[in-house]
Amino acid sequence: MAKSASFSCSECGGIHSKWSGRCEDCGAWNTISEDTPLTAGPKSKGLGATRGLKIELSDLASEDTPPPRTNSGMAEFDRVLGGGLVPASAILVGGDPGIGKSTVLLQAAASFARSGLKCIYVSGEEAAAQVRMRAQRLGLGDAPVQLAAETNLRNILTTLEAEAPDLAIIDSIQTMWLDSVQSAPGSVSQVRAAAHELTSFAKRKGISVILVGHVTKDGQIAGPRVVEHMVDTVLYFEGERGHQFRILRAVKNRFGPADEIGVFEMTGAGLQEVANPSALFLSDRDTPTAGSVVFAGIEGTRPVLCEFQALVAPAPAGQARRSVVGWDGGRLAMILAVLEARCGIPFAGLDVYLNVAGGLRISEPAADLAVAAALLSAREDVALPANTVVFGEISLSGSLRPVGQSETRLKEAQKLGFANAILPERSKTGAIDGVTARQMPDLTALVGDVFGAG
Ligand code: TYD
Ligand code: MG
């Protein structure tokens, strides 16, 4: 029988049965290469010819103590991990090149080392002297972190085995290579094999590993998606280049809540933690401005207030633009359609720009109502009353659906000096001490009552 080969794309990780110049899944050119099997297994002779060992089974009621966690002392980093580092866990930290992955991990390594963990930082991208210089510039020169510049994974694993650290940071997985895999570093086969070796090593030896992964243009970890499945925790380091705010977001976590965020600010002295993100994402709001609406959101387990800004302007005939930063373009189209179909507010012939201030990315449907309010406010040139927060989900019928944790949202608003809230009628919590609530059944109510339009 002919040997069945498999080919994968280094952009999206898509698997194909034959080679081609262009990946059918993501459309990238020259990214497909043949996979080399991890190990040459014994020739299959059907089940029964080579029998495995019987594995031990246990029942769900068996008592296991929860793993002891170690706090780094960087509260925002520990928060994203779900309350500190779990021993023998494998973590992937992804992000655009230059966003600050190496910086935040060097700072985290220094914090962990200072709180007593044995940490090794392996850089495949920078020389040890470069990393050392950066550490000294960040005031971390005295932290007991062990450094190495190496890309040969076999040497790294041997060293880690001999040194037995508590935590090893591998920066980055795309630079690592195994001599048993015959393709270039950074290729799908290499990244997959290296990640597999490192994660199974972590479990076997009880060493936590943090892998750094670069992200492609379309926002995926470069190389195979499958790395995300191998690790326990996937964190994304996000932020707009022009902004100094950086957000570490847990997109997967076997040991804690996903969607938790840690907020940092990039300064000349490295990344500083931001303990009160709401204050940071709200711009100066002394005078109410048309088109600007404050959304009371929830990121992970914590409430975060942020500002939606909309601008609506006449468009050249037939060329209306919709431009979104920090929110989903499809969702914006839906809200524009609901406003037009259910409330009779057309946006045809108008350019629409929507922006979340501060470089935050919002994915909650609870932001629908804030977006609609920002669009209406911009279109009608009417500012919402000062000190108002808005939240609620919009359905296609134009009715408003209550969203979770309304009390938490309102309390955060009250803490930051907001006195008014606009929210769906059936929300669990309406007004609270110090915050007046305007509860609305549908979008038409918002259009009529608040903006006097429709
Ligand atoms: P880096 O951690 O090297 O990014 P990555 O590992 O994700 O590629 O961060 C590089 C950027 O961070 C670089 O553009 C400079 C900036 N930076 C600061 O602004 N302040 C600092 O103290 C440091 C160390 C970096
Ligand atoms: Mg780096």
Side-chain angles (χ1 to χ4, degrees):
M1 212 175 77
K3 177 173 160 270
S4 71
S6 105
F7 297 82
S8 41
C9 167
S10 60
E11 281 288 311
C12 69
I15 307 229
H16 305 276
S17 60
K18 61 181 189 338
W19 187 89
S20 71
R22 182 166 184 265
C23 173
E24 282 170 21
D25 293 349
C26 68
W29 289 93
N30 287 331
T31 54
I32 294 190
S33 59
E34 184 172 355
D35 291 337
T36 332
L38 272 184
T39 47
K43 276 229 173 73
S44 169
K45 295 189 188 106
L47 205 59
T50 43
R51 294 181 66 113
L53 299 172
K54 184 176 177 302
I55 51 174
E56 218 173 282
L57 306 173
S58 61
D59 51 33
L60 290 173
S62 311
E63 292 243 339
D64 283 308
T65 43
R69 290 172 180 262
T70 312
N71 284 332
S72 64
M74 276 171 88
E76 292 294 299
F77 194 81
D78 294 334
R79 159 195 291 281
V80 186
L81 290 178
L85 183 73
V86 175
S89 57
I91 299 158
L92 177 67
V93 177
D96 291 326
I99 202 76
K101 301 181 293 298
S102 304
T103 309
V104 74
L105 289 176
L106 189 60
Q107 289 181 254
S111 293
F112 277 122
R114 281 177 177 158
S115 52
L117 291 195
K118 183 168 177 184
C119 293
I120 295 187
Y121 186 103
V122 184
S123 179
E125 302 191 338
E126 292 166 286
Q130 262 176 300
V131 181
R132 210 175 297 122
M133 259 160 55
R134 176 185 301 181
Q136 280 161 9
R137 207 160 55 72
L138 298 177
L140 308 172
D142 61 334
V145 177
Q146 297 291 302
L147 285 184
E150 178 63 72
T151 56
N152 183 328
L153 198 60
R154 201 173 294 280
N155 296 347
I156 293 172
L157 291 178
T158 307
T159 312
L160 292 182
E161 188 159 6
E163 295 282 336
D166 299 297
L167 170 67
I169 295 173
I170 309 293
D171 186 2
S172 65
I173 189 71
Q174 276 95 1
T175 54
M176 297 296 142
W177 64 281
L178 268 171
D179 45 19
S180 55
V181 178
Q182 268 139 28
S183 52
S187 67
V188 176
S189 325
Q190 281 288 5
V191 172
R192 184 159 50 198
H196 176 76
E197 287 294 329
L198 281 161
T199 48
S200 52
F201 177 83
K203 302 287 158 207
R204 227 170 35 239
K205 302 287 176 193
I207 295 173
S208 298
V209 293
I210 300 183
L211 313 177
V212 175
H214 292 299
V215 158
T216 56
K217 295 183 289 303
D218 56 354
Q220 295 191 345
I221 302 275
R225 258 266 136 117
V226 69
V227 175
E228 294 192 7
H229 303 304
M230 285 182 207
V231 295
D232 301 306
T233 304
V234 179
L235 309 180
Y236 270 87
F237 205 40
E238 348 175 303
E240 297 289 326
R241 277 294 178 88
H243 287 290
Q244 68 270 49
F245 313 126
R246 299 284 183 272
I247 289 157
L248 194 60
R249 187 186 294 275
V251 293
K252 159 183 170 178
N253 196 351
R254 287 187 185 143
F255 304 118
D259 259 338
E260 191 67 83
I261 64 167
V263 184
F264 298 87
E265 191 175 351
M266 182 61 100
T267 68
L271 288 149
Q272 305 287 329
E273 299 178 60
V274 175
N276 185 357
S278 293
L280 175 131
F281 291 119
L282 296 177
S283 53
D284 238 351
R285 299 188 42 81
D286 288 343
T287 44
T289 320
S292 142
V293 167
V294 175
F295 165 55
I298 301 278
E299 290 289 331
T301 52
R302 122 178 105 172
V304 174
L305 300 195
C306 63
E307 185 182 334
F308 275 93
Q309 300 167 338
L311 177 69
V312 175
Q319 294 180 27
R321 287 189 58 153
R322 271 86 182 98
S323 163
V324 197
V325 179
W327 206 51
D328 179 38
R331 200 89 191 166
L332 171 67
M334 184 202 100
I335 289 175
L336 291 172
V338 174
L339 279 170
E340 175 148 8
R342 308 290 178 197
C343 313
I345 309 268
F347 281 85
L350 294 171
D351 281 341
V352 175
Y353 301 90
L354 185 75
N355 181 20
V356 181
L360 190 65
R361 271 205 69 80
I362 302 287
S363 52
E364 261 194 299
D368 289 355
L369 192 57
V371 171
L375 293 170
L376 285 165
S377 164
R379 190 182 184 282
E380 306 299 320
D381 200 20
V382 175
L384 275 189
N387 297 333
T388 304
V389 296
V390 182
F391 59 89
E393 188 179 340
I394 297 174
S395 67
L396 288 179
S397 66
S399 65
L400 300 186
R401 255 188 242 141
V403 294
Q405 309 194 47
S406 38
E407 187 172 353
T408 315
R409 297 173 201 264
L410 290 165
K411 281 195 172 145
E412 176 78 359
Q414 189 247 6
K415 209 169 84 191
L416 283 139
F418 288 81
N420 307 295
I422 298 179
L423 63 160
E425 195 170 62
R426 287 172 292 128
S427 299
K428 264 209 183 111
T429 313
I432 61 165
D433 238 6
V435 182
T436 324
R438 292 177 79 170
Q439 294 187 264
M440 319 219 153
D442 51 31
L443 208 47
T444 323
L446 178 78
V447 171
D449 295 2
V450 183
F451 298 104

